[in-house]
Amino acid sequence: MLRVPAEQVWDVVTDVRNHTRWVPMTRIDATAGLRVGDRFEAVSGPFATAGAPGLADRMVIERLDPPSTAAATSGLAVYRKLGPVLLGTAEVRVRPLGPDHCALTWVEDVHLRGLPAGATARVLRPVLGTMLRVVMARASAELRAAT
């Protein structure tokens, strides 16, 4: 739970440019104000944040439904991974829990192109789980500090 309004959390976490600060060894190449159908790229690797090449993770925004505290509806953002190596989805959910707090959930369902999806997803799950714990801790700390 975050003691931050859902709409504020949504604005920060769905601006994918912010993910550079949270995802280890990753830079995000994106413009401001992305909408459904827009594409962007994350590049991960030991020196990716310094501009070095790395693992490209191309994505398209499939869904951006913001939360509404007044209507008590959750927000959902869905990013489809297009490759060239990683396929699957990343989902960010923001659920209002009152006027000044919310729950933030980030889930990745990822597999490797050209290999059995179920098998590679199981292999990637521990790595992604660790990465998401780091991401959520960094994002949550930043959001709490901003209020």
Side-chain angles (χ1 to χ4, degrees):
M1 178 177 74
L2 292 168
R3 293 197 181 281
V4 182
E7 291 83 359
Q8 182 179 341
V9 170
W10 176 263
D11 289 344
V12 172
V13 299
T14 60
D15 183 345
V16 299
R17 297 169 305 156
N18 293 325
H19 298 188
T20 294
R21 294 191 303 277
W22 309 328
V23 181
M25 298 185 299
T26 299
R27 75 173 182 270
I28 307 291
D29 298 325
T31 59
L34 294 177
R35 294 186 226 177
V36 171
D38 287 345
R39 295 171 184 246
F40 65 97
E41 182 176 79
V43 179
S44 299
F47 303 104
T49 57
L55 174 68
D57 184 6
R58 296 182 186 106
M59 291 174 258
V60 62
I61 300 175
E62 286 193 336
R63 189 168 171 182
L64 281 176
D65 299 330
S68 170
T69 300
T73 57
S74 294
L76 174 62
V78 178
Y79 308 95
R80 168 105 16 225
K81 294 177 176 287
L82 304 172
V85 176
L86 300 175
L87 300 173
T89 58
E91 293 186 2
V92 175
R93 294 179 187 271
V94 179
R95 184 171 48 99
L97 299 173
D100 296 321
H101 56 288
C102 66
L104 171 62
T105 308
W106 188 323
V107 177
E108 302 234 359
D109 181 15
V110 179
H111 60 278
L112 299 175
R113 179 185 295 278
L115 297 170
T120 61
R122 280 191 297 281
V123 170
L124 291 174
R125 197 166 291 127
V127 173
L128 289 173
T130 299
M131 187 248 340
L132 285 175
R133 282 189 291 279
V134 170
V135 167
M136 292 295 287
R138 289 176 176 178
S140 296
E142 184 176 309
L143 287 159
R144 284 184 183 106
T147 59

